[in-house]
CSV table of all heavy atoms in Angstrom, one decimal:
chain,number,residue,atom,x,y,z
B,186,ASP,N,11.2,-86.1,30.9
B,186,ASP,CA,11.1,-85.3,32.1
B,186,ASP,C,12.3,-85.5,32.9
B,186,ASP,O,13.4,-85.2,32.5
B,186,ASP,CB,9.8,-85.6,32.8
B,186,ASP,CG,9.4,-84.5,33.8
B,186,ASP,OD1,9.8,-83.4,33.6
B,186,ASP,OD2,8.7,-84.9,34.8
B,187,ARG,N,12.2,-86.1,34.1
B,187,ARG,CA,13.3,-86.3,35.0
B,187,ARG,C,13.9,-87.8,35.0
B,187,ARG,O,14.8,-88.1,35.7
B,187,ARG,CB,13.0,-86.0,36.4
B,187,ARG,CG,12.7,-84.5,36.6
B,187,ARG,CD,12.6,-84.2,38.0
B,187,ARG,NE,12.3,-82.7,38.2
B,187,ARG,CZ,11.4,-82.2,38.9
B,187,ARG,NH1,10.6,-83.0,39.6
B,187,ARG,NH2,11.3,-80.9,39.0
B,188,HIS,N,13.3,-88.6,34.1
B,188,HIS,CA,13.8,-90.0,34.0
B,188,HIS,C,14.8,-90.0,32.9
B,188,HIS,O,14.6,-89.6,31.7
B,188,HIS,CB,12.6,-90.9,33.6
B,188,HIS,CG,13.0,-92.3,33.5
B,188,HIS,ND1,12.5,-93.2,32.6
B,188,HIS,CD2,13.9,-93.1,34.2
B,188,HIS,CE1,13.0,-94.4,32.7
B,188,HIS,NE2,13.9,-94.3,33.7
B,189,ILE,N,16.0,-90.6,33.2
B,189,ILE,CA,17.1,-90.6,32.2
B,189,ILE,C,17.6,-92.0,32.1
B,189,ILE,O,17.8,-92.7,33.1
B,189,ILE,CB,18.3,-89.7,32.6
B,189,ILE,CG1,17.8,-88.2,32.7
B,189,ILE,CG2,19.5,-89.8,31.7
B,189,ILE,CD1,18.8,-87.2,33.2
B,190,LYS,N,17.9,-92.5,30.9
B,190,LYS,CA,18.4,-93.8,30.7
B,190,LYS,C,19.6,-93.6,29.7
B,190,LYS,O,19.4,-93.0,28.6
B,190,LYS,CB,17.4,-94.7,30.0
B,190,LYS,CG,17.9,-96.2,29.9
B,190,LYS,CD,16.8,-97.1,29.3
B,190,LYS,CE,16.1,-97.6,30.5
B,190,LYS,NZ,15.2,-98.8,30.2
B,191,ILE,N,20.7,-94.2,30.1
B,191,ILE,CA,22.0,-94.1,29.2
B,191,ILE,C,22.2,-95.5,28.7
B,191,ILE,O,22.3,-96.5,29.5
B,191,ILE,CB,23.1,-93.5,30.0
B,191,ILE,CG1,22.8,-92.1,30.4
B,191,ILE,CG2,24.4,-93.5,29.1
B,191,ILE,CD1,23.8,-91.5,31.4
B,192,ILE,N,22.4,-95.7,27.4
B,192,ILE,CA,22.4,-97.0,26.8
B,192,ILE,C,23.7,-97.0,25.9
B,192,ILE,O,24.0,-96.0,25.2
B,192,ILE,CB,21.2,-97.2,25.9
B,192,ILE,CG1,20.0,-97.2,26.7
B,192,ILE,CG2,21.3,-98.6,25.1
B,192,ILE,CD1,18.7,-97.3,25.9
B,193,ALA,N,24.5,-98.1,25.9
B,193,ALA,CA,25.7,-98.3,25.1
B,193,ALA,C,25.1,-98.6,23.7
B,193,ALA,O,24.3,-99.5,23.5
B,193,ALA,CB,26.5,-99.5,25.6
B,194,THR,N,25.7,-97.9,22.7
B,194,THR,CA,25.2,-98.0,21.3
B,194,THR,C,25.7,-99.3,20.7
B,194,THR,O,25.0,-99.9,19.8
B,194,THR,CB,25.7,-96.9,20.4
B,194,THR,OG1,27.1,-96.7,20.6
B,194,THR,CG2,25.0,-95.6,20.8
B,195,THR,N,26.8,-99.9,21.1
B,195,THR,CA,27.4,-101.1,20.5
B,195,THR,C,26.7,-102.3,21.0
B,195,THR,O,26.5,-103.3,20.2
B,195,THR,CB,28.9,-101.2,20.7
B,195,THR,OG1,29.1,-101.1,22.1
B,195,THR,CG2,29.6,-100.1,19.9
B,196,THR,N,26.3,-102.4,22.3
B,196,THR,CA,25.8,-103.6,22.9
B,196,THR,C,24.3,-103.5,23.2
B,196,THR,O,23.6,-104.5,23.4
B,196,THR,CB,26.5,-104.0,24.1
B,196,THR,OG1,26.4,-102.9,25.1
B,196,THR,CG2,28.0,-104.2,23.8
B,197,GLY,N,23.8,-102.3,23.4
B,197,GLY,CA,22.4,-102.1,23.8
B,197,GLY,C,22.2,-102.2,25.3
B,197,GLY,O,21.1,-102.1,25.8
B,198,GLU,N,23.4,-102.3,26.0
B,198,GLU,CA,23.3,-102.5,27.5
B,198,GLU,C,22.9,-101.2,28.1
B,198,GLU,O,23.4,-100.1,27.7
B,198,GLU,CB,24.7,-102.9,28.0
B,198,GLU,CG,24.8,-103.0,29.4
B,198,GLU,CD,26.2,-103.3,29.9
B,198,GLU,OE1,27.2,-103.3,29.0
B,198,GLU,OE2,26.4,-103.5,31.1
B,199,THR,N,22.1,-101.2,29.1
B,199,THR,CA,21.7,-100.1,29.9
B,199,THR,C,22.8,-99.8,30.9
B,199,THR,O,23.1,-100.6,31.7
B,199,THR,CB,20.4,-100.3,30.7
B,199,THR,OG1,19.3,-100.5,29.8
B,199,THR,CG2,20.1,-99.1,31.5
B,200,LEU,N,23.5,-98.6,30.7
B,200,LEU,CA,24.6,-98.2,31.6
B,200,LEU,C,24.1,-97.5,32.9
B,200,LEU,O,24.7,-97.7,33.9
B,200,LEU,CB,25.6,-97.3,30.8
B,200,LEU,CG,26.1,-97.9,29.6
B,200,LEU,CD1,27.0,-96.9,28.8
B,200,LEU,CD2,26.9,-99.2,29.9
B,201,ARG,N,23.1,-96.7,32.7
B,201,ARG,CA,22.5,-96.0,33.9
B,201,ARG,C,21.1,-95.7,33.7
B,201,ARG,O,20.6,-95.4,32.6
B,201,ARG,CB,23.3,-94.7,34.0
B,201,ARG,CG,23.0,-93.8,35.2
B,201,ARG,CD,24.0,-94.0,36.3
B,201,ARG,NE,23.5,-93.4,37.6
B,201,ARG,CZ,24.0,-92.3,38.1
B,201,ARG,NH1,25.0,-91.7,37.5
B,201,ARG,NH2,23.6,-91.9,39.2
B,202,ASP,N,20.3,-95.9,34.7
B,202,ASP,CA,18.8,-95.7,34.6
B,202,ASP,C,18.5,-94.9,35.9
B,202,ASP,O,18.6,-95.5,37.0
B,202,ASP,CB,18.1,-97.0,34.5
B,202,ASP,CG,16.6,-96.8,34.2
B,202,ASP,OD1,16.2,-95.6,33.9
B,202,ASP,OD2,15.9,-97.8,34.2
B,203,LEU,N,18.0,-93.7,35.8
B,203,LEU,CA,17.8,-92.9,37.0
B,203,LEU,C,16.7,-91.9,36.9
B,203,LEU,O,16.3,-91.5,35.8
B,203,LEU,CB,19.1,-92.2,37.5
B,203,LEU,CG,19.6,-91.1,36.6
B,203,LEU,CD1,19.5,-89.8,37.2
B,203,LEU,CD2,21.1,-91.4,36.3
B,204,HIS,N,16.2,-91.5,38.0
B,204,HIS,CA,15.2,-90.4,38.1
B,204,HIS,C,15.9,-89.3,38.8
B,204,HIS,O,16.3,-89.4,40.0
B,204,HIS,CB,14.0,-90.8,38.9
B,204,HIS,CG,13.1,-91.9,38.2
B,204,HIS,ND1,12.2,-91.5,37.3
B,204,HIS,CD2,13.2,-93.2,38.2
B,204,HIS,CE1,11.6,-92.6,36.8
B,204,HIS,NE2,12.2,-93.7,37.3
B,205,LEU,N,16.0,-88.1,38.2
B,205,LEU,CA,16.7,-87.0,38.8
B,205,LEU,C,15.9,-86.4,40.0
B,205,LEU,O,14.7,-86.3,39.9
B,205,LEU,CB,16.9,-85.9,37.8
B,205,LEU,CG,18.0,-86.1,36.7
B,205,LEU,CD1,18.1,-84.9,35.8
B,205,LEU,CD2,19.3,-86.3,37.4
B,206,ASP,N,16.6,-86.1,41.0
B,206,ASP,CA,16.0,-85.5,42.2
B,206,ASP,C,16.5,-84.1,42.3
B,206,ASP,O,17.7,-83.9,42.7
B,206,ASP,CB,16.4,-86.3,43.4
B,206,ASP,CG,15.8,-85.8,44.7
B,206,ASP,OD1,15.1,-84.8,44.7
B,206,ASP,OD2,16.0,-86.5,45.8
B,207,PRO,N,15.7,-83.1,42.0
B,207,PRO,CA,16.1,-81.7,42.0
B,207,PRO,C,16.5,-81.2,43.4
B,207,PRO,O,17.1,-80.1,43.5
B,207,PRO,CB,14.9,-81.0,41.4
B,207,PRO,CG,13.8,-81.8,41.6
B,207,PRO,CD,14.2,-83.2,41.6
B,208,THR,N,16.2,-81.9,44.4
B,208,THR,CA,16.6,-81.4,45.7
B,208,THR,C,18.0,-81.8,46.1
B,208,THR,O,18.5,-81.4,47.2
B,208,THR,CB,15.6,-82.0,46.8
B,208,THR,OG1,15.7,-83.4,46.8
B,208,THR,CG2,14.2,-81.6,46.5
B,209,ARG,N,18.7,-82.6,45.3
B,209,ARG,CA,20.0,-83.0,45.6
B,209,ARG,C,21.0,-82.3,44.6
B,209,ARG,O,20.7,-82.1,43.5
B,209,ARG,CB,20.2,-84.5,45.4
B,209,ARG,CG,19.4,-85.3,46.3
B,209,ARG,CD,19.6,-86.8,46.0
B,209,ARG,NE,19.0,-87.6,47.1
B,209,ARG,CZ,19.6,-88.6,47.7
B,209,ARG,NH1,20.8,-88.9,47.4
B,209,ARG,NH2,19.0,-89.2,48.7
B,210,ASN,N,22.2,-82.1,45.1
B,210,ASN,CA,23.3,-81.6,44.3
B,210,ASN,C,24.0,-82.7,43.5
B,210,ASN,O,24.8,-82.4,42.6
B,210,ASN,CB,24.4,-80.8,45.1
B,210,ASN,CG,23.8,-79.5,45.7
B,210,ASN,OD1,22.9,-79.0,45.1
B,210,ASN,ND2,24.3,-79.1,46.8
B,211,TYR,N,23.8,-83.9,43.9
B,211,TYR,CA,24.4,-85.1,43.2
B,211,TYR,C,23.3,-86.2,43.0
B,211,TYR,O,22.4,-86.1,43.8
B,211,TYR,CB,25.6,-85.6,43.9
B,211,TYR,CG,25.3,-86.2,45.2
B,211,TYR,CD1,25.1,-87.6,45.4
B,211,TYR,CD2,25.2,-85.5,46.4
B,211,TYR,CE1,24.8,-88.2,46.6
B,211,TYR,CE2,24.8,-86.0,47.6
B,211,TYR,CZ,24.6,-87.4,47.6
B,211,TYR,OH,24.3,-88.0,48.8
B,212,GLN,N,23.5,-87.1,42.1
B,212,GLN,CA,22.6,-88.2,42.0
B,212,GLN,C,23.3,-89.5,42.4
B,212,GLN,O,24.3,-89.8,41.8
B,212,GLN,CB,22.1,-88.3,40.5
B,212,GLN,CG,21.4,-87.1,40.0
B,212,GLN,CD,20.2,-86.6,40.9
B,212,GLN,OE1,19.4,-87.5,41.2
B,212,GLN,NE2,20.2,-85.4,41.2
B,213,PRO,N,22.8,-90.2,43.4
B,213,PRO,CA,23.6,-91.4,43.9
B,213,PRO,C,23.5,-92.5,42.9
B,213,PRO,O,22.6,-92.6,42.0
B,213,PRO,CB,22.8,-91.8,45.1
B,213,PRO,CG,21.4,-91.2,45.0
B,213,PRO,CD,21.6,-89.9,44.1
B,214,GLN,N,24.5,-93.3,42.9
B,214,GLN,CA,24.6,-94.5,42.0
B,214,GLN,C,23.6,-95.5,42.5
B,214,GLN,O,23.4,-95.7,43.7
B,214,GLN,CB,26.0,-95.2,42.1
B,214,GLN,CG,27.1,-94.4,41.5
B,214,GLN,CD,27.1,-94.5,39.9
B,214,GLN,OE1,26.3,-95.2,39.4
B,214,GLN,NE2,28.1,-93.9,39.3
B,215,ASN,N,23.0,-96.2,41.6
B,215,ASN,CA,22.1,-97.3,41.9
B,215,ASN,C,23.0,-98.5,42.3
B,215,ASN,O,23.9,-98.8,41.7
B,215,ASN,CB,21.2,-97.8,40.7
B,215,ASN,CG,20.2,-96.7,40.3
B,215,ASN,OD1,20.0,-95.8,41.1
B,215,ASN,ND2,19.7,-96.8,39.2
B,216,THR,N,22.6,-99.2,43.4
B,216,THR,CA,23.4,-100.3,43.9
B,216,THR,C,22.9,-101.6,43.3
B,216,THR,O,23.6,-102.6,43.3
B,216,THR,CB,23.4,-100.4,45.4
B,216,THR,OG1,22.0,-100.5,45.8
B,216,THR,CG2,24.0,-99.3,46.1
B,217,THR,N,21.7,-101.6,42.7
B,217,THR,CA,21.2,-102.8,42.0
B,217,THR,C,21.1,-102.5,40.5
B,217,THR,O,21.0,-101.4,40.0
B,217,THR,CB,19.8,-103.2,42.5
B,217,THR,OG1,18.9,-102.0,42.2
B,217,THR,CG2,19.8,-103.5,44.0
B,218,ASN,N,21.2,-103.6,39.7
B,218,ASN,CA,21.1,-103.5,38.3
B,218,ASN,C,19.7,-103.3,37.9
B,218,ASN,O,18.8,-104.0,38.4
B,218,ASN,CB,21.7,-104.7,37.6
B,218,ASN,CG,23.2,-104.9,37.8
B,218,ASN,OD1,23.8,-103.9,37.9
B,218,ASN,ND2,23.6,-106.1,37.7
B,219,PRO,N,19.4,-102.4,36.9
B,219,PRO,CA,18.0,-102.3,36.5
B,219,PRO,C,17.5,-103.5,35.7
B,219,PRO,O,18.3,-104.2,35.1
B,219,PRO,CB,18.1,-101.0,35.6
B,219,PRO,CG,19.5,-100.9,35.2
B,219,PRO,CD,20.3,-101.5,36.3
B,220,THR,N,16.2,-103.8,35.8
B,220,THR,CA,15.7,-104.9,35.1
B,220,THR,C,15.4,-104.5,33.7
B,220,THR,O,14.9,-103.4,33.5
B,220,THR,CB,14.5,-105.5,35.8
B,220,THR,OG1,13.5,-104.4,35.9
B,220,THR,CG2,14.8,-106.1,37.2
B,221,PRO,N,15.6,-105.4,32.7
B,221,PRO,CA,15.3,-105.0,31.3
B,221,PRO,C,13.8,-104.9,31.0
B,221,PRO,O,13.0,-105.3,31.7
B,221,PRO,CB,15.9,-106.2,30.5
B,221,PRO,CG,16.3,-107.2,31.5
B,221,PRO,CD,16.2,-106.7,32.8
């Protein structure tokens, strides 16, 4: 749905984890690291 997770294929590291907000023209960067 609106939840997106981007993962590095070589390391399995989560590069970006976000929930899209359709009311915004851009999606802000998370300032904290997501927990595994």
Side-chain angles (χ1 to χ4, degrees):
D186 195 30
R187 292 189 180 134
H188 182 215
I189 298 173
K190 184 177 271 194
I191 300 173
I192 301 171
T194 53
T195 55
T196 63
E198 175 187 7
T199 298
L200 302 176
R201 185 101 191 251
D202 190 7
L203 64 111
H204 292 272
L205 287 180
D206 182 355
T208 63
R209 294 179 173 229
N210 289 332
Y211 68 94
Q212 302 302 312
Q214 290 279 3
N215 294 343
T216 56
T217 60
N218 292 333
T220 56

